[in-house]
Amino acid sequence: MAGRTYTTCLLAERRDLIGACAALLETTWPDHYGPTGPGFATKDATDRAQTERLPIGLVAIDQTDTLVGTGTLSGPSYGAQSDEAPWITGLCVVEHMHGHGIASQLVQDLCRVATSTGHRQVFATTSQALGLMQRAGFAELRQLNDDHGTWHVLRKTLS
């Protein structure tokens, strides 16, 4: 992307950003990672800082070496059926950097990680990023509805 003001890399290469990743997860999903939620942001971020098995986390870093986004290639996610893996999960970008292509780049890079680890397809579930995922080549498999709204379960065949 011309004029890109960020780079992406494996979280395992930048373990110093685990705390910032945890904070971004807490800000993005306070119902899950907040004080009364069931999630543990620091544990999840720490678990993603590896390369040998899932989950494998990526980070996007701006020119000042500040975290601006993250995403993960992981095992089953919300809406998964038994034969569906791996999944793109935890995709989030700091609010002031929305619209700069960071999420799109993270999705593209996570698909590369999936391919490099031998996967022929990748899945995702989203309630807010359907257009982004469709532009990245994902097709909708089904919809799920819960108390939080409609979720789109998607799949992309990798080449």
Side-chain angles (χ1 to χ4, degrees), residues 131-143:
L132 178 143
M133 299 307 280
Q134 288 175 326
R135 286 188 301 277
F138 283 76
E140 187 165 9
L141 295 176
R142 59 189 169 275
Q143 291 183 6

Side-chain angles (χ1 to χ4, degrees), residues 2-159:
R4 198 166 83 170
T5 59
Y6 59 89
T7 59
T8 60
C9 67
L10 292 163
L11 179 56
E13 297 170 354
R14 290 298 309 268
R15 294 183 63 84
D16 59 302
L17 295 173
I18 288 173
C21 281
L24 181 55
L25 293 173
E26 290 168 354
T27 300
T28 304
W29 295 291
D31 289 346
H32 184 73
Y33 288 116
T36 59
F40 299 98
T42 300
K43 179 188 180 314
D44 284 359
T46 301
D47 289 349
R48 297 169 184 184
Q50 60 181 338
T51 59
E52 299 301 315
R53 60 181 169 80
L54 300 179
I56 299 170
L58 296 182
V59 291
I61 307 154
D62 72 9
Q63 293 171 325
T64 66
D65 205 38
T66 302
L67 178 81
V68 292
T70 188
T72 304
L73 188 67
S74 71
S77 184
Y78 182 64
Q81 294 182 355
S82 62
D83 60 339
E84 297 173 341
W87 289 74
I88 291 177
T89 63
L91 183 66
C92 52
V93 173
V94 296
E95 191 170 345
H96 74 275
M97 292 297 289
H98 287 188
H100 290 261
I102 297 169
S104 295
Q105 186 65 51
L106 285 165
V107 168
Q108 183 178 352
D109 291 349
L110 287 163
C111 287
R112 283 192 195 113
V113 170
T115 299
S116 72
T117 55
H119 297 282
R120 300 175 91 184
Q121 57 188 358
V122 65
F123 298 84
T125 301
T126 185
S127 64
Q128 298 179 350
L130 179 61
L132 178 143
M133 299 307 280
Q134 288 175 326
R135 286 188 301 277
F138 283 76
E140 187 165 9
L141 295 176
R142 59 189 169 275
Q143 291 183 6
L144 305 170
N145 293 295
D146 65 13
D147 294 341
H148 299 286
T150 300
W151 296 84
H152 305 274
V153 179
L154 310 161
R155 175 182 60 209
K156 178 177 181 173
T157 301
L158 303 170
S159 50

